[in-house]
Amino acid sequence: KEFLNLGYLLILIGLVARWIYLASGTIELEKDEAYQWLWSKHLALSYYSKPPGIALIQFVSTHIFGDTEFGVRFFSPLFAAILSFIALRFLAKEIGAKLALILLLIVTATPLLGVGTILMTIDPPLVLCWTWALIAGWRAMQPTGKTRDWVFVGLAMGLGFLCKYTAAAQWVCWALVFALMPATRIHLRKRGPWLALGIFLLCTTPVLIWNAKHGWITVTHVAGDAGMQSHWKFKDATRYFPEFTFTQFGLLNPVFFVGMVWAMFGFWKYRRERPLWVYFFCMSAPLYLGYWLFSLHSRVLPNWPIAAVPGLFCLMVVYWNEQLRRGAKWVKPVLIFGLGIGFIILPFLYETKLIGKVTGNALPTEVDPLRRVRAWKQTAFVVERAREQLETTNEPAFIIADHYSTTGLLSFYLPQARATIGSTPLVYCVDSSEPVSQFYFWPEYRYKENRQAQNAIYVSEVDTYPLEKDWVWKWLTHKRISYGEDPEKTFIGQRQLLFTMRRLQKEFTSVTDLGDREVRMNGRVYRKLHLWACYGLK
């Protein structure tokens, strides 16, 4: 009982601490958060690249707390707390409260899962729904299981699909459950699993309806995003597979990554007497191993298999406990070491300025993990100042960004732009004759139709100054770090700028290259922009 109560206390402390952290304004929005915040202002059955779940979540939270960073992210810590609560209670019943508490500590000490507790992307609701379906499914297959448990399975998987398409892969997990656990096949002759399937299919209808009206564009986009349209190349395999492996090694905590992988293969000798272990494997490993193998073909982002991690960590905990029970003395020190690494890293993950305070030398912004969620207010100020200089009383000026994510961030951090959402936008994404983002489907964002003869500032984010190869040693020894140029990147960048210039000259009467602008915060360069003044949209 005391372990369970301690778990509840840790969950509550974590929830409140994360809300306080978000309310402090330590970090700004991430690119996808701002882009999907715009979706919440244009509710639809689905969207170009994602289902409607994230838009609905942000619609609710921002209507309660306003269009602020806290408003956008309110549900992320809450989803993490709900996930921890249901997992703690489930595991306390199935494997014991002490092990459930240890799992809670492991999850907290894992960097990648920690990021998911503060950023409001599509991953937090997916992980919650995937784990909910896992728990409900185990209960449904017990002799005391009820039809309502299967209803919860279908509902959890359906809601997960409405947040991220990865949720559909859980049906592959269920197929493996029925294949490797013969005793569970009796349920296939009952209505429970089929009811769950029906509820899931019902949840997919909004996405199907929207795509049927828009040429099934999501299928094409997702296939292209995953690299399905490209051929296998040996050099890609030797590049992407190690890249994915090393990032997982770091982001899942080195100790827990190795322990998780070991447990996935080591538990097999106990599979006949440990059906719960087999279930954890079946409901998680297909997704994780599937992405890992796919990295031999294409780049796999670190967060793609994240829904599988809680289940695999459950398998790791019960497997480690079995080793401890059999006399393995290494388990406790390894666990303590892993938790120590995680809890030491966590404060630096949430505030990288602490690295400078500890080492006496600030981390270069080019390698700062929080660079992507900082200095966007300053970025918006730089762009708005250029726009104001271009605008006159009789000639209004608007902003064109070269990427959908920059469009979302400028729209969020420019008060003038935020005020125009829902009418005539101030910030647009570069126009395209083909659907490459959600802006293609919103008529008000077709600036060629709505901003005729007006002037514009075109903004493009360019690479910052590259660090020299031995920067780590110089940083550690407090020596001056030099910045140089990468000839290949410089050449590519110049070609892109020339291409952009020629494109703008076709769209506007005249174009002036305004050059680079450095975006600084506290005297440090966080990003570089390249601006063009465009006159008279044709």
Side-chain angles (χ1 to χ4, degrees):
K1 185 72 174 182
E2 61 272 14
F3 290 114
L4 197 59
N5 290 334
L6 182 56
Y8 293 150
L9 180 60
L10 291 176
I11 293 171
L12 179 61
I13 291 174
L15 173 63
V16 174
R18 288 165 186 143
W19 274 339
I20 292 174
Y21 173 78
L22 294 179
S24 70
T26 302
I27 58 174
E28 297 173 350
L29 291 190
E30 190 265 342
K31 292 182 176 181
D32 283 345
E33 290 178 303
Y35 177 44
Q36 290 155 8
W37 166 77
L38 279 175
W39 296 5
S40 72
K41 308 302 179 185
H42 302 79
L43 294 182
L45 292 177
S46 191
Y47 297 89
Y48 166 72
S49 57
K50 302 290 187 297
I54 187 65
L56 292 170
I57 291 168
Q58 289 206 25
F59 175 84
V60 173
S61 61
T62 54
H63 271 68
I64 298 174
F65 299 100
D67 292 318
T68 62
E69 289 100 343
F70 183 82
V72 169
R73 293 171 169 152
F74 169 78
F75 279 112
S76 187
L78 184 60
F79 287 158
I82 295 172
L83 170 62
S84 299
F85 178 79
I86 62 174
L88 182 70
R89 289 185 61 84
F90 170 71
L91 293 172
K93 179 181 178 182
E94 299 295 336
I95 64 176
K98 183 178 180 179
L99 291 182
L101 178 62
I102 291 174
L103 177 68
L104 180 60
L105 293 173
I106 289 173
V107 168
T108 305
T110 301
L112 186 59
L113 295 176
V115 171
T117 65
I118 56 174
L119 299 185
M120 191 60 253
T121 63
I122 56 179
D123 288 323
L126 169 69
V127 176
L128 172 59
C129 291
W130 187 289
T131 308
W132 178 23
L134 181 153
I135 293 172
W138 178 255
R139 289 172 175 167
M141 293 190 302
Q142 302 312 302
T144 57
K146 300 178 181 178
T147 302
R148 70 179 183 186
D149 294 317
W150 286 109
V151 171
F152 288 142
V153 170
L155 184 61
M157 293 179 64
L159 292 177
F161 180 85
L162 288 174
C163 294
K164 191 174 183 178
Y165 298 124
T166 305
Q170 203 163 15
W171 287 112
V172 177
C173 299
W174 276 112
L176 192 62
V177 167
F178 293 126
L180 296 184
M181 303 176 68
T184 64
R185 297 173 196 165
I186 189 174
H187 294 282
L188 294 176
R189 297 193 293 269
K190 300 179 180 179
R191 63 178 180 176
W194 307 108
L195 180 60
L197 176 61
I199 294 173
F200 173 83
L201 293 176
L202 182 63
C203 290
T204 67
T205 53
V207 176
L208 296 176
I209 292 172
W210 187 89
N211 272 274
K213 292 181 178 180
H214 295 89
W216 302 99
I217 185 61
T218 302
V219 177
T220 304
H221 166 74
V222 171
D225 209 31
M228 297 298 294
Q229 298 172 344
S230 60
H231 298 290
W232 181 84
K233 297 179 181 178
F234 178 74
K235 67 176 183 179
D236 289 341
T238 57
R239 175 186 177 188
Y240 296 141
F241 185 82
E243 176 186 275
F244 177 78
T245 303
F246 289 139
T247 54
Q248 293 295 294
F249 180 80
L251 292 176
L252 289 183
N253 190 315
V255 172
F256 301 143
F257 172 74
V258 173
M260 179 187 77
V261 174
W262 181 30
M264 272 195 283
F265 298 96
F267 91 97
W268 280 97
K269 58 185 176 182
Y270 306 108
R271 66 185 183 277
R272 297 188 184 280
E273 63 268 23
R274 298 286 193 277
L276 179 59
W277 297 18
V278 180
Y279 181 73
F280 284 147
F281 175 86
C282 292
M283 293 299 289
S284 307
L287 181 67
Y288 196 88
L289 294 177
Y291 274 122
W292 204 350
L293 290 174
F294 190 66
S295 68
L296 291 168
H297 178 276
S298 301
R299 172 173 280 116
V300 175
L301 297 182
N303 65 301
W304 285 5
I306 193 166
V309 173
L312 291 177
F313 275 5
C314 289
L315 178 61
M316 177 183 70
V317 167
V318 293
Y319 180 73
W320 281 17
N321 185 62
E322 180 67 20
Q323 301 308 304
L324 180 64
R325 193 178 67 82
R326 292 173 179 265
K329 298 180 179 180
W330 56 263
V331 175
K332 287 186 178 180
V334 167
L335 174 62
I336 293 172
F337 181 64
L339 292 175
I341 291 176
F343 286 117
I344 288 173
I345 291 176
L346 274 182
F348 299 100
L349 178 68
Y350 291 137
E351 181 48 275
T352 52
K353 292 179 182 178
L354 293 174
I355 297 175
K357 293 181 179 180
V358 171
T359 63
N361 192 18
L363 193 68
T365 57
E366 289 78 8
V367 293
D368 187 344
L370 294 186
R371 174 173 171 258
R372 61 188 297 178
V373 289
R374 281 196 164 138
W376 286 112
K377 292 178 183 177
Q378 289 80 0
T379 301
F381 174 77
V382 170
V383 176
E384 175 60 14
R385 185 170 58 181
R387 188 195 71 84
E388 290 175 346
Q389 292 172 352
L390 184 64
E391 187 173 60
T392 65
T393 304
N394 298 324
E395 295 184 7
F398 60 101
I399 299 169
I400 305 173
D402 70 333
H403 197 267
Y404 63 82
S405 59
T406 308
T407 306
L409 287 160
L410 293 177
S411 298
F412 186 88
Y413 285 108
L414 278 177
Q416 305 93 319
R418 196 183 304 177
T420 62
I421 293 175
S423 55
T424 303
L426 180 66
V427 184
Y428 297 81
C429 186
V430 62
D431 205 3
S432 173
S433 58
E434 298 179 354
V436 294
S437 73
Q438 185 60 36
F439 293 106
Y440 178 87
F441 301 97
W442 293 336
E444 65 268 33
Y445 280 88
R446 298 169 189 166
Y447 58 86
K448 291 182 180 179
E449 299 175 7
N450 303 320
R451 292 281 190 169
Q452 281 291 315
Q454 294 185 16
N455 304 330
I457 287 292
Y458 186 94
V459 54
S460 175
E461 187 175 358
V462 296
D463 289 333
T464 54
Y465 310 104
L467 294 166
E468 56 186 340
K469 293 182 179 179
D470 61 343
W471 72 266
V472 176
W473 172 252
K474 289 188 175 181
W475 174 68
L476 291 173
T477 56
H478 293 206
K479 294 181 179 178
R480 182 180 178 84
I481 298 175
S482 301
Y483 295 84
E485 288 190 1
D486 184 328
E488 183 178 355
K489 284 188 175 181
T490 300
F491 176 72
I492 294 173
Q494 289 175 345
R495 288 188 61 184
Q496 290 176 337
L497 293 177
L498 181 60
F499 173 79
T500 301
M501 184 70 174
R502 290 175 176 174
R503 173 177 181 165
L504 293 175
Q505 288 173 337
K506 293 179 181 179
E507 296 181 354
F508 289 86
T509 303
S510 63
V511 179
T512 301
D513 190 337
L514 300 179
D516 291 341
R517 297 285 193 278
E518 291 182 342
V519 177
R520 293 177 174 269
M521 187 175 73
N522 299 327
R524 306 174 68 203
V525 178
Y526 271 77
R527 60 183 53 87
K528 280 195 340 181
L529 308 175
H530 198 93
L531 304 180
W532 288 266
C534 309
Y535 301 89
L537 179 63
K538 296 178 182 179

